Amino acid sequence: MLIFNRKQDLIRYLETNSTLKTTIGFVPTMGALHQGHLSLLKESIQQNTITVISIFVNPTQFNNPDDLEKYPRTLESDVEKIKTVSKNILIYAPDAADIYGDKTTSESFDFDGLEHQMEGQFRPGHFDGVGTIVKKLFEIVKPTNAYFGEKDFQQLLIVKKMVEKLNLSVSIVGCPIFRERNGLAMSSRNERLSEENRANAKIIYQTLLEANKLLHIKSLEEVILFVTQTINSTPNFELEYFQIANESTLLPIVNKNETEKSRAFIAVFVNNIRLIDTISLN
């Protein structure tokens, strides 16, 4: 198991151990790994010669300093989990200085409006931070394929848009959401939930599934009201947003259309811990 803390060491290793036939799979993470992350690694191992995972809590994508401070950092246990998948995975675990140098700041990006929807409305600057760190990591790793979970579906589309606009030679692979037994989407933030709240958080996925059923017999307004009342009536839960949007543009669906590919997106605060989820509709 090789762990790199300096990008120059990782770059040198990859250059030395790559041939024209080498493919590099890359899984960017912020650590606190769970089975969802490990599923991305397994996908990469099946499809590539070399697999690299980055573990870096990126400060530029947090608009809430308290959220950044409390984000779990569990490198030692992360390494042990990675070993259960393969001991041949390369780990890049830098500090901010190795990534950003003297200035930990974001670039500005134009994602053709994808950045203004949902997460962009409630987390100003978030996607500039995401674009900045992913671009920097791609420049270091130079992956053939990069793997992202569909739980962060908006992020997945934004990374794809960045690759398209910058004409980067990497394929972006979206992978299905991994869920806990009760349906809660796996997230590093789940570790911060109390046992009771983690059990109750199944209501998020259950509400999305019920909303999908109701869309066939109720108006959009009635479905939104149902979701709002269901989440807000759960103790310690507060809905930040629920939106039904076009799967490609992320623009809100105004009128129900059975032929339009759409998704439901939700963000919920559980005792100030923010959870998101999404499901495909139709």
Side-chain angles (χ1 to χ4, degrees), residues 7-8 10-28 44 48-54 90 92 133-147 163 168-172:
K7 61 186 175 186
Q8 291 305 328
L10 175 60
I11 291 169
R12 191 178 303 114
Y13 179 90
L14 290 172
E15 287 177 348
T16 304
N17 290 274
S18 296
T19 68
L20 289 175
K21 293 184 178 180
T22 299
T23 58
I24 299 174
F26 179 46
V27 179
S44 176
N48 301 279
T49 317
I50 296 173
T51 289
V52 180
I53 181 172
S54 63
L90 307 180
Y92 177 45
I133 187 60
V134 172
K135 179 169 173 276
K136 285 180 179 294
L137 289 169
F138 282 177
E139 288 168 351
I140 294 166
V141 179
K142 295 180 174 59
T144 314
N145 303 293
Y147 300 82
V163 166
L168 303 179
S169 58
V170 54
S171 295
I172 304 303

Side-chain angles (χ1 to χ4, degrees), residues 91-147:
I91 301 171
Y92 177 45
D95 59 17
D98 191 62
I99 291 283
Y100 286 100
D102 296 334
K103 294 183 179 179
T104 308
T105 56
S106 293
E107 294 182 46
S108 293
F109 291 87
D110 175 7
F111 297 112
D112 291 349
L114 292 171
E115 72 273 29
H116 301 313
Q117 306 304 318
M118 295 171 296
E119 294 293 288
Q121 294 177 16
F122 291 92
R123 302 179 71 185
H126 171 66
F127 287 121
D128 279 338
V130 169
T132 299
I133 187 60
V134 172
K135 179 169 173 276
K136 285 180 179 294
L137 289 169
F138 282 177
E139 288 168 351
I140 294 166
V141 179
K142 295 180 174 59
T144 314
N145 303 293
Y147 300 82

Side-chain angles (χ1 to χ4, degrees), residues 21-270:
K21 293 184 178 180
T22 299
T23 58
I24 299 174
F26 179 46
V27 179
T29 82
M30 294 205 296
L33 302 184
H34 50 68
Q35 288 301 317
H37 294 116
L38 301 187
S39 73
L40 302 183
L41 287 174
K42 291 173 184 176
E43 192 79 10
S44 176
I45 287 171
Q46 289 177 358
Q47 298 177 7
N48 301 279
T49 317
I50 296 173
T51 289
V52 180
I53 181 172
S54 63
I55 297 175
F56 176 64
V57 182
N58 176 40
T60 64
Q61 68 190 70
F62 286 83
N63 60 307
N64 182 344
D66 186 56
D67 196 20
L68 171 60
E69 183 182 340
K70 291 182 178 177
Y71 199 89
R73 292 161 173 84
T74 56
L75 180 59
E76 192 173 320
S77 64
D78 289 344
V79 171
E80 293 306 310
K81 289 175 183 174
I82 293 168
K83 285 179 182 176
T84 67
V85 177
S86 171
K87 293 183 179 178
N88 295 321
I89 295 170
L90 307 180
I91 301 171
Y92 177 45
D95 59 17
D98 191 62
I99 291 283
Y100 286 100
D102 296 334
K103 294 183 179 179
T104 308
T105 56
S106 293
E107 294 182 46
S108 293
F109 291 87
D110 175 7
F111 297 112
D112 291 349
L114 292 171
E115 72 273 29
H116 301 313
Q117 306 304 318
M118 295 171 296
E119 294 293 288
Q121 294 177 16
F122 291 92
R123 302 179 71 185
H126 171 66
F127 287 121
D128 279 338
V130 169
T132 299
I133 187 60
V134 172
K135 179 169 173 276
K136 285 180 179 294
L137 289 169
F138 282 177
E139 288 168 351
I140 294 166
V141 179
K142 295 180 174 59
T144 314
N145 303 293
Y147 300 82
F148 293 81
E150 290 185 348
K151 178 177 72 70
D152 299 287
F153 193 85
Q154 186 174 8
Q155 173 180 276
L156 173 63
L157 289 195
I158 275 177
V159 171
K160 286 183 176 181
K161 179 62 68 174
M162 182 185 74
V163 166
E164 174 193 321
K165 298 193 80 167
L166 297 180
N167 198 27
L168 303 179
S169 58
V170 54
S171 295
I172 304 303
V173 183
C175 299
I177 298 172
F178 250 64
R179 298 186 179 278
E180 300 188 5
R181 287 185 178 181
N182 65 3
L184 175 64
M186 287 190 178
S187 168
S188 301
R189 298 174 193 269
N190 294 357
E191 299 305 315
R192 295 174 53 198
L193 297 170
S194 70
E195 191 174 331
E196 180 182 5
N197 285 335
R198 192 162 181 166
N200 290 339
K202 65 184 179 182
I203 193 68
I204 299 172
Y205 183 51
Q206 290 175 347
T207 302
L208 288 178
L209 294 178
E210 186 62 27
N212 191 20
K213 294 178 184 177
L214 291 176
L215 276 170
H216 298 288
I217 55 174
K218 302 279 187 179
S219 68
L220 283 172
E221 292 75 16
E222 288 174 312
V223 173
I224 292 169
L225 180 61
F226 160 77
V227 172
T228 303
Q229 291 178 338
T230 301
I231 296 298
N232 288 341
S233 64
T234 305
N236 303 320
F237 284 57
E238 180 185 355
L239 182 70
E240 183 175 47
Y241 68 75
F242 169 73
Q243 187 162 303
I244 297 169
N246 179 283
E247 197 166 88
S248 300
T249 67
L250 300 184
L251 292 172
I253 300 295
V254 178
N255 298 304
K256 288 196 294 184
N257 183 342
E258 293 294 333
T259 63
E260 185 173 9
K261 246 191 146 179
S262 57
R263 293 187 76 89
F265 297 85
I266 194 168
V268 178
F269 280 104
V270 182

